[in-house]
């Protein structure tokens, strides 16, 4: 088994390397995100072990670019960042597992073996509606060949609408899925974000993809609005 370790802490990287070598695995090491991304993109590995806080590119950006480039090698984030939002971000960007420092070597080995057994996942389905496309794993949205710059909430709303293209969805349904089931704020925030989204995905392209259904909610045209 071949492992790539990407960590700017040379002591940690060397400790992990030596531990894995004793298990009979082949281990490559890089110390910054950009070098790690290049190696993971151009060479074959069974698993990539990736720190988050690194020079050049952070771990989030490395895994995001790997998934965007169609590299589905399992990624285990090994990091001192132990917040729940840190973990959620890692999984949203395409990581497969998350382990915090300090860590148990026994647990690390078990996690790696589990990832190898599962193997690289198949590329998930890209949601499409006409010229609109959304890749939920790589977190990339496009209108034709143009990549769209969307804030996280805008991306979440577009993904939800794409999953229900051609259907009328209510403000309540949008709030519960894109915000939180316990959200108690003004539901008119949905109107605000629909306006934002239209300016991102429609106006620059002369399209009209999101229809307002008065008194009910919104509908994303199945053909993407042009």
């Amino acid at each position: 088994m071949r492992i790539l370790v990407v960590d700017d802490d040379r002591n940690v990287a060397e400790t992990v390397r030596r531990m894995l070598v004793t298990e009979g695995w082949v281990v490559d090491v890089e110390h910054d995100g950009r070098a790690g991304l290049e190696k993971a993109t151009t060479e074959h590995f069974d698993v990539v072990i990736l720190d988050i806080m690194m020079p050049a590119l952070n771990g989030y950006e490395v895994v995001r670019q790997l998934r965007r480039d169609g590299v589905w090698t399992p990624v285990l984030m090994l990091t001192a960042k132990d917040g729940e939002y840190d973990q959620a971000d890692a999984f949203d960007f395409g990581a497969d597992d998350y382990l915090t420092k300090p860590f148990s070597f026994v647990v690390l080995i078990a996690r790696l073996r589990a990832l190898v057994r599962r193997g690289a996942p198949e590329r998930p389905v890209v949601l499409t509606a006409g010229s609109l496309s959304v890749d939920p794993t790589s977190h990339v949205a496009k209108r034709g060949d143009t990549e769209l710059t969307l804030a996280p909430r805008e991306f979440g709303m577009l993904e939800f609408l794409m999953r229900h293209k051609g259907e009328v969805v209510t403000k309540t349904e949008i709030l519960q899925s894109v915000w939180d089931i316990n959200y108690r704020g003004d539901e008119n925030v949905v109107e605000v974000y629909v306006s934002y989204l239209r300016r991102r995905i429609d106006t620059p392209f002369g399209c009209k993809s999101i229809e307002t259904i008065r008194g009910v909610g919104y509908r994303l045209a199945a053909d993407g609005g042009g």
Side-chain angles (χ1 to χ4, degrees), residues 91-168:
F91 288 122
D92 284 344
F93 282 122
D96 299 276
D97 203 351
Y98 195 103
L99 188 61
T100 57
K101 302 172 184 176
F103 58 91
S104 160
F105 180 60
V106 172
V107 172
L108 174 61
I109 293 296
R111 297 279 186 90
L112 292 175
R113 287 176 175 156
L115 288 174
V116 171
R117 284 196 299 271
R118 293 205 301 257
E122 293 184 6
R123 182 180 178 86
V125 174
V126 175
L127 306 173
T128 60
S131 62
L132 270 177
S133 66
V134 168
D135 188 330
T137 299
S138 61
H139 216 72
V140 172
K142 293 182 178 181
R143 170 71 81 174
D145 294 328
T146 302
E147 186 169 334
L148 303 170
T149 301
L150 302 177
R153 194 80 72 186
E154 293 167 349
F155 187 94
M157 179 177 286
L158 179 58
E159 180 183 347
F160 178 78
L161 293 172
M162 294 280 277
R163 291 187 184 278
H164 298 275
K165 65 182 180 182
E167 304 174 15
V168 177

Side-chain angles (χ1 to χ4, degrees), residues 166-171 194 198 210-220:
E167 304 174 15
V168 177
V169 293
T170 66
K171 289 181 180 180
V194 166
R198 283 170 170 155
I210 304 176
E211 179 184 3
T212 299
I213 310 300
R214 291 195 177 278
V216 183
Y218 301 93
R219 177 169 53 206
L220 180 76

Side-chain angles (χ1 to χ4, degrees), residues 28-64:
D28 290 35
V29 177
E30 295 292 347
H31 297 294
D32 71 73
R34 195 174 303 282
L37 174 64
E38 181 177 357
K39 203 168 191 72
T41 303
T42 58
E43 301 182 33
H44 171 76
F45 295 94
D46 294 287
V47 181
V48 175
I49 298 175
L50 190 62
D51 190 16
I52 292 178
M53 301 307 293
M54 294 186 294
L57 288 177
N58 65 46
Y60 295 136
E61 184 63 18
V62 172
V63 73
R64 187 185 75 83

Side-chain angles (χ1 to χ4, degrees), residues 179-190:
W179 272 257
D180 185 276
I181 194 168
N182 297 313
Y183 177 79
R184 294 294 181 266
D186 188 346
E187 69 173 15
N188 287 330
V189 69
V190 174

